[in-house]
Amino acid sequence: MSLDPNKPFAMAASQAQKLTQSHDPNAWVATSLPHTTLWSAQRAILQALQDHHRVAVRSCHDSGKSFIAAIAAARWLDVHPATTARVITTAPTAMQVKGILWVELNQLKAQADLPGRMNQTEWWIGSYLAGMGRKPSDYNPAAFQGMHARYLLIIVDEASGVTSSLIDAVETLATNTHARILMIGNPDDPTSLFADIHNNPAKHGYHCIRISAWDTPNFTDEGDTIPQELKEVLLSPEWVEQRRKAWGEQHPFWLSKVEAEFPPIDTLSTIKLVDIVKARVPFNEREREAQPQSPSGVSTPSGTPVVQGQTVLGVDVAGSDTGDETVIRLVATTPQGYRPTTEWRYRTSDPNEVTDNIVSAIISTMPQQVVIDSIGVGFGIIAAVRSHEAITNLPPATTPTIIGFNASNAPRSKEYGNQRAELWWGARILFQDGRIDTSAADDQLTLEAQLLQPRYFIKKGKIWIEAKEDIKSRIGRSPDNADAFLYALWPALKSTQLSIVAPPRNAQLIQRHMQSTAVMQRLVKQR
């Protein structure tokens, strides 16, 4: 058997190349992924991981942050000796773990012809578990502590939505000389540990990077130097302009998803940003201490029990061809709370079309209750829906209860100025108590953005919510999507004795109230 005399030289050359690539991450990309082009911020993130033990990246929407995290993971396992390296990834939800970063990893493994076998959340090299992706609720703290390696890389994707307890667990793993942590995500939650890391990088020992929309290639001269296919997957000027019109430049989502800055804490926002962020995690994926208690079945004034498994349609009627939309939202009742799902939106001033659209949604979903805004054009729509042939022909057992909601009606409790205030403050409590799950909501981003818009105020000792007309005057549009969702919550809110946590009575006391907790004190001081 003859030996190839060049084989030792080839092996030596390969080892030398690996050594070079272990020190120059962008050289690894050029060699292993020759058809992949990275833009400048992506290259900077790779280099930062080489130079720093802990890297935190707050980024705008669609900057390619998850893709570069996947490249960092693939390179990490390729350049370090087999069985000495491990990559652990996490994100707030299973879909964010499996559907984003690990999809990218699977594709990169094939493109770079890397060793081992991979499924949706694991990378095995022989019998060695080299890579694993887990959502926070998967982690048993004791088992998590055992996932050490000489070369350990931990990636926390969408880090603003990950709990501080999990980040603390990550920190206890990455204690050796070669360990690295990459935290990356939109800066959505100003009360998160991710925010505190960016506000106090020296205290936490992190190298921090910010990527705003204006840094990305479609807004700079760099766009002329990169391939068209890369430009097409990055943030576009058209999307930014659409968000400017929909949100305005002071909205929390504009600041986080365009400017890549943590928004300030709006003490007058009825529904709090931190609670909206937490509601993105499905009920069945939340950490045990965050799981809400099962609500009991109670009766509405109409006598229809609000029980687990029911569905309710909420309808905000606009009656316009060019302005606000008529929005219909389906909400499901679960043992843990309420899940907004399907949404329909229409622009028409024809009341017959509005009625037909509502009836069509009823027939397709067969809800137990339908709540329709009864002010203005909605008053006539309620009667039309009730008398519609498709509704009157339904068997009595499947005919939904049609309920009118009048925002100006008197509330049940003297704490509120009107029924609109009772509705919105009740929704605030449901969000605060972890009883809302928006993970399956159609057009989730628009719903969240609108839920943040109404502000509350105190007048003569009562809680009031900013009128729709005032919101429209302030931001340029009415929160139709949010109102439709809240109308669907009304039967449950009206039949449930929620504990009323009244806010302070004036702006000065509100500020003092917000500063009463340690987290708020820290953030207010920083800003």
Side-chain angles (χ1 to χ4, degrees), residues 179-497:
R180 296 288 189 273
I181 298 174
L182 172 61
M183 297 180 62
I184 195 162
N186 297 131
D188 287 335
D189 183 1
T191 70
S192 65
L193 183 54
F194 187 53
D196 196 46
I197 286 170
H198 281 273
N199 290 326
N200 298 283
K203 181 180 80 173
H204 294 281
Y206 274 79
H207 174 76
C208 293
I209 296 173
R210 170 181 171 245
I211 307 171
S212 76
W214 324 118
D215 299 321
T216 60
N218 287 326
F219 295 85
T220 69
D221 293 341
E222 189 174 0
D224 298 329
T225 66
I226 63 174
Q228 182 64 27
E229 55 266 28
L230 175 55
K231 293 176 64 175
E232 290 175 358
V233 299
L234 296 174
L235 192 66
S236 71
E238 293 78 15
W239 186 88
V240 170
E241 186 55 32
Q242 288 170 0
R243 295 304 94 195
R244 188 195 305 273
K245 292 176 180 177
W247 297 338
E249 295 185 12
Q250 302 306 312
H251 192 281
F253 284 0
W254 175 270
L255 296 175
S256 66
K257 299 184 186 303
V258 177
E259 300 288 353
E261 293 288 10
F262 289 95
I265 299 168
D266 185 353
T267 60
L268 298 181
S269 180
T270 306
I271 298 177
K272 295 183 288 186
L273 177 58
V274 60
D275 295 328
I276 286 176
V277 171
K278 289 177 181 177
R280 295 171 182 168
V281 180
F283 284 138
N284 64 348
E285 294 182 18
R286 296 183 185 181
E287 297 179 66
R288 288 189 177 181
E289 62 270 21
Q291 288 278 7
Q293 298 298 310
S294 173
S296 58
V298 291
S299 294
T300 66
S302 65
T304 305
V306 178
V307 295
Q308 299 166 13
Q310 281 198 347
T311 55
V312 183
L313 281 177
V315 184
D316 185 58
V317 180
S320 170
D321 289 318
T322 58
D324 295 334
E325 298 173 307
T326 292
V327 182
I328 307 170
R329 171 70 76 172
L330 182 68
V331 173
T333 305
T334 76
Q336 296 84 16
Y338 307 94
R339 302 184 76 231
T341 57
T342 312
E343 182 186 76
W344 299 261
R345 295 182 294 174
Y346 308 96
R347 277 197 178 94
T348 177
S349 60
D350 185 340
N352 292 322
E353 287 187 23
V354 173
T355 300
D356 288 344
N357 289 332
I358 296 171
V359 170
S360 175
I362 291 172
I363 298 302
S364 66
T365 61
M366 298 303 291
Q368 283 69 47
Q369 299 177 83
V370 181
V371 183
I372 303 175
D373 175 15
S374 65
I375 293 180
V377 68
F379 182 79
I381 296 297
I382 293 173
V385 170
R386 284 174 176 159
S387 61
H388 196 284
E389 183 179 11
I391 301 300
T392 58
N393 287 340
L394 288 172
T398 60
T399 301
T401 303
I402 312 295
I403 303 169
F405 178 86
N406 189 322
S408 61
N409 276 356
R412 293 177 305 160
S413 171
K414 63 181 182 180
E415 294 284 341
Y416 305 111
N418 57 16
Q419 201 162 265
R420 174 174 169 78
E422 185 175 9
L423 172 68
W424 273 87
W425 201 262
R428 171 190 172 107
I429 294 171
L430 290 178
F431 269 96
Q432 186 174 283
D433 290 348
R435 296 188 184 277
I436 304 294
D437 169 2
T438 60
S439 62
D442 285 350
D443 200 6
Q444 182 191 43
L445 191 59
T446 297
L447 174 61
E448 291 179 336
Q450 292 188 14
L451 285 167
L452 286 169
Q453 289 168 338
R455 294 172 175 170
Y456 74 86
F457 59 95
I458 307 300
K459 183 179 179 181
K460 296 182 179 180
K462 296 181 183 295
I463 302 170
W464 295 81
I465 304 298
E466 190 176 16
K468 292 181 71 168
E469 295 76 15
D470 294 336
I471 295 171
K472 189 171 181 178
S473 175
R474 177 166 59 84
I475 67 173
R477 67 157 296 165
S478 175
D480 307 318
N481 309 63
D483 278 323
F485 167 45
L486 264 62
Y487 294 154
L489 297 177
W490 178 240
L493 290 171
K494 195 169 183 180
S495 63
T496 304
Q497 295 300 319

